[in-house]
Amino acid sequence: MKRRQFMSGAVIAGLSNFSISGCNIIKPESVITSDNQYAFGGKDFGAMLATVRNKYHSDLFDKFLPNMDSLVIDHEYGGFNCAVDIVTRRQLGTNKSAWFEGRGLWTYSFLYNNLGKNPKYLEVARKSKDLILKLKPADNSFWPTSFTREGKALSGPGDIYTGLFIAEGLAEYAKASGESEYRDLAKKIVMACLARFDSPSYDYYVAYLNPEAPKVPAPRVVGHWMVFLRAATQMLETGPDPEIEKLADRCLDALLNHHLNPEYHLFNEVLNHDFSRPQNSFGDFAYMGHGIETCWMMIFEAARRKDQELFSRTAKIFKRHVTVAHDTVFGGYFRSLDNVSNNIWKVDKVLWLQEEILIGTLFLAEHTGDAWAQNCFKETLGYVNKNFDRPGYAFWPAGGDRLMKEHQKNRAEHYHHPRHLMLNLLALNRIIARKGKISGLFI
């Protein structure tokens, strides 16, 4: 497939058939001047920048990291014990998860690479890396789901995400340590996961629709393409790699030419292995959380490629998903549209979805000056700070009911939350350094 072929033909034609209020991307040559300001609550963006930036900095360095250090990081054996009562600050267990190990490895490696070369961050990442590599499968099977504090497997092989999160962590660690063998290992894991995903015998059950949902043989899943794409983008930021470039192209092609439903312009989470739509309850299932998260990752990939057409198209899809998922009564965003035609939703609120929207909207505001993105960022930030930033809690709740009166209290969220804090703190630092000027990403 030739470069950018995934953006041709029916996809572009289909995207042109819907519109969103405020969805007009400002030309990148624009700058923010006294006559062209971000309108946050009557204040120009410059007046908001320092306050918002300082809140992000405090949330990361004064709250999240110290509590990780005292409650979650296993300084003796390495790795992360995320089972913590975030209210009482009591540890609820010592077993560890391969998902959370790969994610934590990424968090501390990214922190070291981008927000201060503190050797303590690198040491936390190194010990996590050493712990998880004890469990490396001898063949191409997935990592065990869970293991003891010391690193003894407690389960059989997990799912595809165990490998992909560990690969993402190893690739970021390779940047931090300068040890290229871990980047090579990360690539090997990613490609092995892709081979499994492509196999007609691939086994994965999408349990987040409902427990009665049928099993789709060897499904194609938006959440899988999402993590493949993010791993590819980050690996390509360090230099070219034809195989990883091809993987990124495949992800974009699958998402834009197959999973994006041409009738209602939302991503169907699950397709059959041949990319046809299932003739069952998955045929009308749009997992909005993954759709929104995937969109900002496609926008980031477009920025890496300096592909303005891809940037604009994926920004429009992002806006479509965010607009549809909005809870117009109580604020915030819903994660799961179980049946599009019948408008059936899960109405719980999860922190990670709100934070994916904050990442995407701030990135759009930074690089385009888009008014919709500015207003959405402001509204969502207010909602998140009110409903998830609980005084006295060690960590923000990972989620709760629609009104956030009942919420999760038994896990330290150490991936989506710090990723949001770090990416947006970096964006705010860039905007402040430019004194509010749009980045000129495509110039």
Side-chain angles (χ1 to χ4, degrees):
M1 181 179 67
K2 294 181 180 179
R3 302 282 292 152
R4 304 188 188 179
Q5 184 177 340
F6 51 82
M7 289 306 300
S8 64
V11 173
I12 293 176
L15 288 172
S16 66
N17 290 331
F18 74 92
S19 62
I20 300 169
S21 177
C23 188
N24 53 330
I25 302 297
I26 296 174
K27 293 181 180 180
E29 296 91 332
S30 303
V31 296
I32 301 166
T33 67
S34 59
D35 297 320
N36 178 25
Q37 295 175 332
Y38 287 90
F40 276 80
K43 298 180 180 179
D44 68 77
F45 192 43
M48 292 285 296
L49 279 177
T51 299
V52 175
R53 186 261 181 203
N54 290 343
K55 175 71 163 61
Y56 270 96
H57 190 278
S58 178
D59 285 345
L60 179 62
F61 289 101
D62 299 334
K63 297 177 183 178
F64 175 78
L65 291 174
N67 288 332
M68 284 290 294
D69 191 64
S70 62
L71 299 173
V72 175
I73 296 170
D74 187 338
H75 294 285
E76 182 177 358
Y77 292 101
F80 307 93
N81 293 319
C82 294
V84 173
D85 186 315
I86 65 174
V87 180
T88 66
R89 299 172 183 251
R90 180 173 61 90
Q91 201 166 76
L92 302 176
T94 60
N95 294 339
K96 297 170 183 173
S97 157
W99 271 42
F100 294 169
E101 210 59 47
R103 288 173 161 190
L105 173 57
W106 178 87
T107 293
Y108 276 84
S109 298
F110 188 89
L111 181 66
Y112 179 85
N113 287 332
N114 294 278
L115 288 161
K117 304 289 185 182
N118 188 328
K120 292 182 180 179
Y121 305 153
L122 187 60
E123 179 65 6
V124 171
R126 183 191 65 77
K127 293 182 79 170
S128 172
K129 177 264 300 179
D130 289 345
L131 178 69
I132 198 62
L133 288 184
K134 291 180 182 179
L135 295 159
K136 183 178 180 297
D139 53 17
N140 284 332
S141 62
F142 296 134
W143 252 263
T145 301
S146 61
F147 49 95
T148 66
R149 180 186 179 195
E150 298 81 7
K152 181 179 179 181
L154 293 171
S155 70
D159 60 25
I160 198 168
Y161 292 111
T162 59
L164 291 175
F165 288 135
I166 289 166
E168 184 185 30
L170 289 170
E172 194 66 30
Y173 177 78
K175 298 179 191 177
S177 68
E179 298 170 286
S180 61
E181 62 265 33
Y182 296 113
R183 196 270 186 196
D184 296 339
L185 177 57
K187 178 180 175 180
K188 182 178 179 181
I189 295 169
V190 167
M191 301 313 290
C193 287
L194 183 63
R196 290 282 295 277
F197 185 38
D198 281 339
S199 170
S201 63
Y202 175 61
D203 185 27
Y204 182 81
Y205 179 59
V206 181
Y208 41 92
L209 174 54
N210 61 64
E212 292 78 36
K215 190 170 186 177
V216 176
R220 300 298 190 175
V221 184
V222 166
H224 293 11
W225 297 116
M226 173 185 76
V227 183
F228 276 121
L229 178 62
R230 187 61 185 150
T233 295
Q234 293 177 99
M235 294 173 78
L236 290 168
E237 286 171 349
T238 64
D241 183 315
E243 286 185 286
I244 300 300
E245 288 276 4
K246 183 178 179 181
L247 170 59
D249 280 350
R250 277 198 63 192
C251 293
L252 292 167
D253 176 63
L255 292 162
L256 296 171
N257 287 336
H258 300 284
H259 286 273
L260 188 66
N261 189 296
E263 179 182 0
Y264 43 74
H265 306 288
L266 301 172
F267 289 118
N268 288 129
E269 178 72 7
V270 180
L271 299 180
N272 293 321
H273 193 72
D274 64 359
F275 290 101
S276 61
R277 282 185 169 74
Q279 299 301 305
N280 55 39
S281 55
F282 283 114
D284 220 11
F285 174 45
Y287 195 58
M288 303 299 285
H290 280 172
I292 289 167
E293 186 176 4
T294 300
C295 279
W296 76 250
M297 294 177 182
M298 291 195 295
I299 293 168
F300 274 46
E301 173 62 9
R304 185 195 68 80
R305 297 176 181 220
K306 297 192 181 299
D307 185 333
Q308 188 167 11
E309 182 182 45
L310 178 60
F311 189 99
S312 297
R313 296 295 177 182
T314 51
K316 194 170 186 179
I317 299 168
F318 174 74
K319 292 181 179 187
R320 168 70 170 170
H321 281 73
V322 171
T323 301
V324 171
H326 187 221
D327 182 350
T328 57
V329 179
F330 295 109
Y333 297 86
F334 300 128
R335 67 182 171 94
S336 184
L337 180 48
D338 290 358
N339 187 287
V340 178
S341 298
N342 294 323
N343 200 31
I344 298 173
W345 292 82
K346 289 183 176 69
V347 295
D348 59 323
K349 301 289 174 61
V350 289
L351 173 62
W352 60 267
L353 171 54
Q354 323 305 315
E355 294 188 312
E356 311 306 344
I357 292 167
L358 288 170
I359 292 170
T361 51
L362 185 59
F363 195 78
L364 287 179
E366 176 190 1
H367 294 295
T368 70
D370 182 78
W372 175 92
Q374 300 163 32
N375 292 329
C376 187
F377 175 79
K378 176 198 169 186
E379 179 183 330
T380 307
L381 185 63
Y383 174 83
V384 166
N385 286 338
K386 176 182 177 182
N387 290 280
F388 289 90
D389 187 359
R390 304 283 174 130
Y393 283 23
F395 298 95
W396 290 16
D401 64 9
R402 187 178 185 185
L403 299 179
M404 283 301 293
K405 290 183 177 180
E406 297 293 331
H407 51 272
Q408 299 172 21
K409 304 172 185 177
N410 60 357
R411 176 165 72 88
E413 213 302 306
H414 75 317
Y415 179 66
H416 292 281
H417 180 56
R419 181 173 71 180
H420 154 242
L421 295 179
M422 291 188 291
L423 288 177
N424 278 10
L425 182 55
L426 289 168
L428 289 162
N429 285 341
R430 291 191 300 266
I431 298 168
I432 289 172
R434 292 195 306 270
K435 298 181 180 179
K437 291 184 179 180
I438 294 174
S439 67
L441 186 64
F442 301 107
I443 297 175

